[in-house]
Every structure is written in C-alpha cells, then in structure tokens.
Amino acid sequence: MSKFLSHVGRYTLMLKGMLNKPENSKVYWKEFMHQCNDIGYRSLPIVLIIAAFLGAVMTLQSAYQLVSPIIPRYVIAQIVRDSTILELAPTMICVVLAGVVGSKIASELGNMRISEQIDALEIMGINTKTYLILPKIVAALLMVPCLIILAIVISMIGGYAAGSMTGTVLPDQFYYGLTTDFVPFNMYVALAKSFTFAFIISTVPAYYGYHVEGGALEIGRSSTTSVVVSCITILLADYGITALMLSNG
C-alpha cells in the first residue's frame, strides 16, 4: 500500500511540475509537432486495420446471433454502430495505442534518463518535465480523439463492406440501420473516453520512463510495466465513465 501511495505521490508531483510556463515557445512547438507525428500519423495504419476488421467481425457475428425472422436485418447495423461508438473503438484502439505509443514514450524517456540527457538538460536550467512530457500529453489529447473518430467511421465502412460481400445485410438495410434511432449523446461518451484514455496513455508511460533507475534492463521493465498499468487504468476508467454517463438508475 505504501508503495502504491508513493507512486501516486510521485505521479502527482510530476504532473504539477510540468505546468510551468515554457521557456522557448518555438522549441516547444517543434517538439509538439514531432509528438503529433509520432502519436497520430505513425499510429494511423494499425488503427485503420483494426477498425476495419472490428466493424467487419461485429457485422458477421451479429448476423450469426440474430437468427430470429422477427428481428429485421437493419438491427445488425444498429448493433455495430452503437457497440463501435460506445465501446469497441475507444477502448480497443486505446489499449492498442497503450502498447504502441506508451512503450515508445516510456523507452524514450527511460533511455534519456539512463544516458543522463535529462540531467544535462536540468543543469542547463530547462524544466525537463515541461519540455519532455507536456508536449506528449497535449499531442495525445489532440491526436487520440481524432484517431478514435476515424476508427468509428472506418469500422462502419468495414461492417458495410462485410455485410455487402457476404449478403448477410443488404447495403440499403445497413445504411437504414446506421441512420435510424441514432443517439448523439453516444458520441459525447466516446469523446469523453477518448480524452481520458489519451491522458492515461501519455502520462503513465511518461511517469515510468522519467523515473526509471538502473540500466538497459530496467528500461525494458519500465516499458512493460507502463503498458500493463496503462491498460488496467484504461479498463477501470472505461467502467467508471460508462457507469457515470450511461447509468439510468
């Protein structure tokens, strides 16, 4: 318990320490754009592939389970739409990003800590928490929700293509299901999850990488630990947001 509280305290102090005013805005802007490229653009291929197959698999599985002739076929599209928006796109994509982006952040900062680059920056009078961590968090808060929105769209297209190619759902039926009884509030839930998960993906690995001690072996361990802790935290936050925003009781 004391170890857990120690981690929470150091994590909070790290977040507090990075909120100082940047010394050189141009340098921070370049670092921010670099992080946007790493977190957003370089993660795009894996996000598109996962989203397309999520939609396709959900369509086929829903068609397999809805065998009753009483249920119209367009309901399959509604199931795919709501499941993708509320759960599959935000949670699945962010768990994958926790491994792809989170491990990179942890290993990058861990390598800088072991090679004493962080110490050198601090000797030069640079606030390393602001310079190294803040651009990553801001870039994640900007790029991850964009990736989630794109994943939702691609997932719908993947479901549409799978239904059309297999004949389980006709194109007109799928389009009708997507546009019928749509609840705009679901998108707010998806965005709330996206911003929360983006904060977790960027801060938890940054904490483990920034405070790593030892050598190359410890860098690998901190990277693995950061991914595990990020995934668990994402699932806990997923449950909390769902209970707060979608509970009717």
Side-chain angles (χ1 to χ4, degrees):
M1 187 63 182
S2 60
K3 189 174 181 180
F4 172 75
L5 293 177
S6 175
H7 282 300
V8 172
R10 295 173 70 187
Y11 176 79
T12 305
L13 290 174
M14 182 194 75
L15 296 179
K16 181 182 177 182
M18 73 180 188
L19 295 179
N20 294 334
K21 184 179 179 181
E23 295 88 354
N24 189 331
S25 300
K26 291 184 179 180
V27 175
Y28 282 77
W29 175 256
K30 290 177 64 176
E31 180 65 18
F32 167 71
M33 295 304 295
H34 175 70
Q35 295 302 325
C36 285
N37 178 69
D38 281 352
I39 295 174
Y41 179 74
R42 292 189 177 182
S43 302
L44 195 57
I46 187 66
V47 169
L48 294 180
I49 293 172
I50 292 174
F53 280 99
L54 276 178
V57 171
M58 274 296 298
T59 299
L60 298 181
Q61 286 187 347
S62 300
Y64 172 76
Q65 291 176 313
L66 296 178
V67 294
S68 174
I70 302 176
I71 302 175
R73 304 303 289 177
Y74 70 83
V75 174
I76 296 173
Q78 293 179 322
I79 294 173
V80 174
R81 178 195 67 197
D82 293 338
S83 299
T84 301
I85 293 175
L86 290 173
E87 186 62 26
L88 292 179
T91 306
M92 288 291 294
I93 297 299
C94 286
V95 167
V96 172
L97 290 178
V100 176
V101 176
S103 60
K104 179 184 178 300
I105 292 175
S107 59
E108 177 185 336
L109 291 176
N111 184 61
M112 293 184 70
R113 172 63 74 183
I114 297 302
S115 60
E116 299 182 350
Q117 295 181 51
I118 294 179
D119 296 333
L121 291 172
E122 290 177 345
I123 292 173
M124 295 167 59
I126 297 175
N127 185 342
T128 54
K129 295 184 180 69
T130 306
Y131 177 64
L132 297 175
I133 299 176
L134 185 60
K136 292 177 171 57
I137 297 175
V138 177
L141 291 174
L142 175 65
M143 300 307 298
V144 171
C146 294
L147 290 174
I148 297 303
I149 293 173
L150 182 61
I152 291 172
V153 175
I154 297 300
S155 183
M156 305 296 179
I157 296 174
Y160 178 90
S164 301
M165 288 188 295
T166 59
T168 54
V169 187
L170 297 177
D172 292 341
Q173 293 175 328
F174 198 91
Y175 178 78
Y176 179 77
L178 288 180
T179 55
T180 301
D181 298 329
F182 174 67
V183 181
F185 180 73
N186 291 347
M187 285 302 300
Y188 290 103
V189 177
L191 289 175
K193 290 184 177 183
S194 300
F195 283 110
T196 304
F197 298 164
F199 184 79
I200 294 171
I201 290 170
S202 56
T203 57
V204 172
Y207 166 76
Y208 280 97
Y210 188 84
H211 293 96
V212 69
E213 296 177 354
L217 184 61
E218 281 70 22
I219 295 177
R221 288 176 178 172
S222 67
S223 178
T224 302
T225 304
S226 70
V227 173
V228 173
V229 174
S230 296
C231 291
I232 294 174
T233 310
I234 285 173
L235 296 176
L236 291 174
D238 182 33
Y239 174 79
I241 294 172
T242 302
L244 287 174
M245 300 188 72
L246 296 180
S247 61
N248 298 320

